[in-house]
Amino acid sequence: MDYTFNSGKLMRTPPRPLGEASSQPDLFHTPSDLGDSDLNVNLKKRKYPVDSTENITRTMNDMVININSMLQDLKANQNEQFSQIRKDMSALKKQNDDLLTSNAEIKKTICVISDEQNALKLRVEKLEQGENKAINYVSDLEQQVESLEWKIRETSVEIRNLPTESSYEKMLDVIKQLHQTLNVTYDQRDIRSVYRLPAKQDGPRTIVLEYAGLQKKSELLQAYKKHNQANKEDRLSTNSVGLLGVKKIIYINGRLTRKAQQLHYQARQLVKDGSYRFCWTARGKVFVKKDEGEPIIEIKTVEQMVALSSETRADD
C-alpha cells in the first residue's frame, strides 16, 4: 500500500489486482540470457605510477634529513646553552668563593675591631673612674680652700658707702662713730686691721674691718640689724655717723668668700624676681626662704640655684 501527498494531504494509492506482482525483476538471469554486449564488463583497477612512489620515498627521505638537521641544530643550540650555563655557574661559584673569602676577612676584621672597641671601652671606663676621682679630689680641695678662706674672713665685716677719700686716721674716727651710733663698745685693740678693697666702679670703696675675735663681729652685726629694724624709715646712713653731704645708706655684712659672694648675688636675684622673699648670710653661708613659715634652704652650688629658679618657673 502506497501513500502520496497531494496538496498537503496524505493520499492512498489504489490497491493492485490480486495475482499481480508488484515487480518482476530477473535477479537470477544467467549470462546466456544476456546479450554479448552485457559480457563486456569494464573492470578498472586503481594504479599508481612508478614515478609517484619514488617521489614519496624521496620526500620521506628529505623529511628525515630535515628532521635530523633540525635535531642536530637543536642539540647544538642546547649544547651551547648548557656550555653558557656551565660558564655562568662557574662564574657564580667563583663569585661565591670570593664572597666567602671576603666575608671571612670581614669577620676577622670585625673581631679585631670588636677587641679594640672592648679595649677602648675598658680604657674609657678607667679614664671615667679617674676623672670622677679627680673631680672628687678637686671638689675636696675646693672645699678645703673654701674653709680656709672662710677661716681667714671669719672675723671680718664689709662696710659699704662710707667715704674712702679721707686719711686712715679719719677712717678710724668714722668707724668709732659707727660703733657709738650702734651702741657697740669700741676699743681699737679689738680691731686687727682696716683696709679698703679695690673699686669696681666709681663710688666709695668697700671697707674691710677685721676684728681680733669673733665676738665683736657678732655684736656689730646684731646691733646693725637691730638698729635698722627699729628705724625702718631712717636706716643707718652717712648722716647717722656725723658725715654731712648727700645721704647714703650704709650696709654692713659679714665678709664672704668669693664663691659665697657669687651665690649670694644669684640668691638675691631670686628675691628680686619674686621667687623667694628672704635671702641672708650667716657664718659665711647663704640662705633663702620663700615666705614666713617656709623651710630655710642653704645655697651650696650654682646648679642648686638654677634648679630652684627652674622649679619656681614650673610652679608659676
Side-chain angles (χ1 to χ4, degrees):
M1 185 178 294
D2 296 332
Y3 294 88
T4 59
F5 289 91
N6 186 11
S7 302
K9 295 182 180 181
L10 180 64
M11 303 295 295
R12 187 170 128 178
T13 304
R16 294 177 181 272
L18 294 175
E20 183 178 353
S22 60
S23 62
Q24 296 179 353
D26 188 3
L27 299 175
F28 302 100
H29 65 277
T30 59
S32 60
D33 297 331
L34 299 174
D36 294 338
S37 59
D38 296 330
L39 295 176
N40 296 328
V41 178
N42 293 327
L43 298 176
K44 295 182 179 180
K45 294 182 180 179
R46 189 172 183 181
K47 298 180 180 179
Y48 293 95
V50 177
D51 294 341
S52 177
T53 302
E54 292 177 355
N55 290 335
I56 291 173
T57 302
R58 188 181 300 110
T59 301
M60 293 296 293
N61 290 335
D62 292 341
M63 290 178 62
V64 171
I65 292 172
N66 291 334
I67 290 173
N68 288 333
S69 178
M70 291 174 61
L71 290 175
Q72 291 296 328
D73 293 341
L74 179 62
K75 183 177 180 181
N77 189 19
Q78 288 179 345
N79 290 335
E80 183 180 355
Q81 291 181 357
F82 287 148
S83 177
Q84 185 63 37
I85 289 173
R86 284 193 293 271
K87 290 181 181 179
D88 294 340
M89 291 294 293
S90 178
L92 288 175
K93 184 178 179 181
K94 186 177 183 304
Q95 291 180 2
N96 187 43
D97 293 338
D98 293 341
L99 286 175
L100 290 175
T101 303
S102 178
N103 288 339
E105 293 177 355
I106 292 173
K107 185 176 180 181
K108 187 185 299 183
T109 304
I110 290 175
C111 291
V112 174
I113 294 175
S114 179
D115 293 339
E116 292 178 351
Q117 184 179 6
N118 291 332
L120 288 174
K121 184 177 180 181
L122 292 175
R123 186 176 179 183
V124 169
E125 289 177 354
K126 290 181 179 179
L127 289 174
E128 288 179 349
Q129 292 176 358
E131 183 182 5
N132 291 333
K133 290 181 180 179
I135 291 174
N136 293 333
Y137 180 71
V138 170
S139 179
D140 292 339
L141 289 179
E142 288 179 348
Q143 187 61 39
Q144 292 179 16
V145 171
E146 182 74 10
S147 299
L148 289 174
E149 189 176 357
W150 164 245
K151 194 66 178 177
I152 294 173
R153 304 184 180 196
E154 186 178 14
T155 59
S156 300
V157 296
E158 293 181 353
I159 306 173
R160 293 183 177 83
N161 280 344
L162 276 179
T164 58
E165 294 79 7
S166 56
S167 62
Y168 179 76
E169 290 76 11
K170 182 66 175 176
M171 184 171 58
L172 289 179
D173 291 339
V174 174
I175 291 175
K176 180 180 179 181
Q177 181 62 41
L178 178 66
H179 282 72
Q180 292 175 356
T181 302
L182 296 176
N183 295 320
V184 177
T185 303
Y186 176 78
D187 189 344
Q188 192 169 347
R189 292 174 298 181
D190 295 332
I191 298 176
R192 180 180 296 171
S193 65
V194 178
Y195 56 91
R196 302 181 182 91
L197 295 176
K200 295 183 180 179
Q201 57 185 3
D202 295 338
R205 295 161 59 188
T206 300
I207 297 175
V208 176
L209 176 60
E210 183 179 352
Y211 288 97
L214 187 59
Q215 182 178 356
K216 280 295 180 180
K217 171 191 172 182
S218 300
E219 290 179 3
L220 181 67
L221 292 177
Q222 290 176 3
Y224 170 72
K225 183 177 180 180
K226 184 178 179 180
H227 177 85
N228 285 340
Q229 288 178 347
N231 303 277
K232 293 183 179 180
E233 301 298 330
D234 187 18
R235 301 182 61 183
L236 184 66
S237 64
T238 52
N239 292 346
S240 303
V241 296
L243 296 175
L244 303 178
V246 179
K247 180 180 179 181
K248 293 183 179 181
I249 302 298
I250 297 175
Y251 299 96
I252 304 176
N253 297 297
R255 194 179 183 203
L256 303 175
T257 62
R258 293 181 180 179
K259 179 180 178 180
Q261 288 176 0
Q262 294 176 355
L263 293 177
H264 188 214
Y265 172 79
Q266 294 179 352
R268 291 200 304 270
Q269 300 304 313
L270 294 178
V271 176
K272 288 182 179 180
D273 62 23
S275 302
Y276 286 78
R277 185 177 177 185
F278 303 102
C279 171
W280 71 98
T281 61
R283 301 179 302 279
K285 299 178 181 180
V286 182
F287 300 92
V288 294
K289 188 167 69 170
K290 271 195 172 184
D291 208 339
E292 296 287 354
E294 295 289 334
I296 298 173
I297 301 174
E298 179 185 354
I299 305 300
K300 296 181 179 180
T301 62
V302 176
E303 290 76 13
Q304 180 186 6
M305 187 77 63
V306 174
L308 289 176
S309 180
S310 300
E311 179 182 351
T312 302
R313 286 196 297 269
D315 293 341
D316 294 340

